[in-house]
Amino acid sequence: MDKGKQIRVLHVLGGVGLGGAESRIMDLYRQMDRDEIRFDFLVHSSAVKKGFLTVFQEDDTAARPDQNGGGIRKPQFYDEEIKSLGGHIYALPKFKVYNYFSYKKAVTSFFATYHEFQAVQGHMTSTAAIYLPIAKRFGIPMTVAHARNAGVVKGPKGIATRFFRRGLAKKADVLFACSKIAGEDVFGTDAMKQGRVKIIHNAIDVQRFAFDEKKRQETREALKITDKLVLGHVGRFDYQKNHPYLLEVFAAVCQKRSDAVLLLLGDGGARQAMEERCRELGIAERVKFLGNRKDTERYYQAMDVFLLPSFFEGLPGVLVEAQAAGLACIVSDTVTREAEATDLVTWLSIDEPPERWAEEVLKQAAYVRRNTAKELTEAGFDVRTQAQGYRRFYLGEGAAYIGSVTAQ
């Protein structure tokens, strides 16, 4: 790559809402020298029916359709910050399987128009086997497939994802994964055994989440929960996160503790159903649906116990954040142990009755909160350290530089 000019890296995602992969990429972008390296984003939107959409470019302030018939895309959580950091956002149509040919045509049109990137990093691996080879064909020097999850949803969508991921390991120059199980799930055991997959754990701004007693008290006072046992969860409302089981666990806790409160941060299609489920369980008055928040670190401080009963994860950044905040964490044993950076994590099966999880919540509630920033940093989960390796990689010095400054 040419070190004499600004390096442009295109990150391909489903969107730039407040999700795990998006948050980790933004954490990284904030650490970059933007005169040296700029991140652009290629996302997917139902507003785009064909072709592609240029959202932010140069001095644009609103979505602008291109000649291929883009639509008006609804702004997402990180839009304005990306623009403030100098990044551009482009949008493709959402991939629906039946629109395979029009999707491929839109990708081709995009890279035929914009091919000045030095690297394309595909975090949306469901269609990476389509867009990465096309990017390479138009002269992109480096293509990267980045596995961020270790499972798929049930039903036709999951089956389609598996189908279109076939052979992905052979269609990218570099393979990254947030954990070993994510690497195996997306790229296959052969690629892992051959050492082709570089494990790069999801890193966070550790100091931002470090335990702060003052913030804890301020947030609890603002929420009127100063004298409560506060359980918490951060995650979008969809199948993967297993909210129905989480609510059953909380209902079981409520049978033992009349002062229990549950904070739920996040949004998603299943939120309304979960609100209804709270009413059915008789816990609606004790569950606070807080939506998407920019200042999630304050809410971790307010919690006493963090719950993550997911069906599957790659390497959950929220679990790293919770540990950075010094929280006792009770986590599904389907989640990779690579996310365990402290002794604050307890692993339980979601095949256990909710009462078993409730027992563990009450057992953990008496622990002494502490600052774990040093532990997280030494375990390789600090984004400042990880950014050094990514910088070297983007400048063309090889993927090995990232692994040299992250946990293996």
Side-chain angles (χ1 to χ4, degrees), residues 218-260:
E218 289 175 349
T219 307
R220 288 170 71 95
E221 287 173 7
L223 293 171
K224 297 181 172 55
I225 54 173
T226 54
D227 58 345
K228 306 295 184 182
L229 169 62
V230 183
L231 282 62
H233 173 83
V234 180
R236 65 187 179 280
F237 287 85
D238 69 6
Y239 167 80
Q240 176 184 343
K241 303 300 180 180
N242 201 11
H243 283 91
Y245 185 83
L246 173 62
L247 296 180
E248 296 279 356
V249 170
F250 180 64
V253 172
C254 290
Q255 294 296 317
K256 302 290 185 179
R257 290 285 295 261
S258 60
D259 61 340

Side-chain angles (χ1 to χ4, degrees), residues 1 10 28 38 45 51 56 62 79 86 94 161 164 193 205 210 232 239-240 297 310 313-314 316 333 344 365 381 403:
M1 298 179 191
L10 181 70
L28 187 65
R38 188 180 91 194
S45 171
F56 288 146
D79 274 21
K94 282 192 173 181
T161 296
F164 284 102
K193 290 177 181 177
D205 183 346
Y239 167 80
Q240 176 184 343
E297 68 277 6
S310 301
E313 296 279 355
D333 61 7
L344 293 169
F381 287 102

Side-chain angles (χ1 to χ4, degrees), residues 298-315:
R298 302 192 68 87
Y299 297 92
Y300 284 115
Q301 305 300 331
M303 298 173 192
D304 296 308
V305 180
F306 181 78
L307 300 175
L308 189 69
S310 301
F311 286 111
F312 57 87
E313 296 279 355
L315 191 146

